Every structure is written in C-alpha cells, then in structure tokens.
Amino acid sequence: MPKNKGKGGKNRKRGKNEADDEKRELVFKEDGQEYAQVLRMLGNGRCEAMCIDGVKRLCHIRGKMHKKVWIAAGDIILVGLRDYQDDKADVILKYMPDEARLLKAYGELPESTRLNEGIAGGLDEEEDGAGDDYIEFEDEDIDKI
C-alpha cells in the first residue's frame, strides 16, 4: 500500500469557513454589472437568473465562489454582463439575506422583487387560496358513485 503524502482529505478541504463575511461592506453595482435573482440551478457551476433589467440570463459561477459560496434558487446575486454575449453573465457576488433587504431599502432592487422565497418571481400563487385543496361532496353524489 502506498504511503499517504497529503495533509488530509475531504474534511480538511471543508475545514476553515472562509465565508465569515459578517459585517462586510455592501457592494453596489457598477457599469457592466447587474443585480439578478436566481431562478434555478442548472449544475456544472451554472444557474439561470432573471436580471433586474428584465432579461433571463445563463450565469456561470466563478471559480473563486465554486464550492465555497452556495447559491440556491431565490438568492439575490450580482452578475457581470458580457460584452459579446447578452444572454450570458458571470456571478460575481452572492448577497446575504440582510444585504438583499438593504439593497431593496436603498432602492437598488425594485419593490416587486420577492426576497427570501424558494423560487423567484411570484411562481407560487398557492398562498392566495391555501384552503381550497379539497372538494366537498353531497351525500347524493357519493351514492351515485
């Protein structure tokens, strides 16, 4: 059997939490950047996001964030737009929920943006009629069946 020459395995790589960004400075968008909300994760370091300017883009998670910053559907992210491909973008930063609320309060995000939802963009209309999931039958209807 060969000797182990490494310094450890998978758990060592997970070890230090480098995402201890408590009280980090709020980053606003610059030119060539846009705010977006993740619609769904696609795998292979990519996600589909709806940008604030109304364009749905395929976003690539940069290597510095890959496997360190976990992105889920509904998260607010900052994407860098590509000059040569309008339908693709690169994820620069993921905003924490409190930072996203601050962005909305500062007017950077529109009021229609729904924060901390599972899926972005108002796809869950079930909340309006939550108790309408059953059908009530009369006794005569049951006898006919």
Side-chain angles (χ1 to χ4, degrees), residues 29 33-38 49-57 75-79 81 95 103-104 107-115 120:
K29 73 173 183 176
Q33 297 177 347
E34 192 64 58
Y35 301 113
Q37 188 164 25
V38 178
M50 178 61 78
C51 293
I52 299 304
D53 59 3
V55 180
K56 191 182 288 189
R57 291 188 170 93
D75 287 343
I76 303 294
I77 55 175
L78 180 66
V79 297
L81 304 177
Y95 290 105
L103 282 175
K104 196 169 181 180
E108 293 284 323
L109 297 176
E111 291 298 318
S112 61
T113 305
R114 302 180 72 181
L115 303 178

Side-chain angles (χ1 to χ4, degrees), residues 94-109:
K94 175 196 166 189
Y95 290 105
M96 301 296 158
D98 56 330
E99 293 173 330
R101 282 190 289 275
L102 281 173
L103 282 175
K104 196 169 181 180
Y106 288 147
E108 293 284 323
L109 297 176

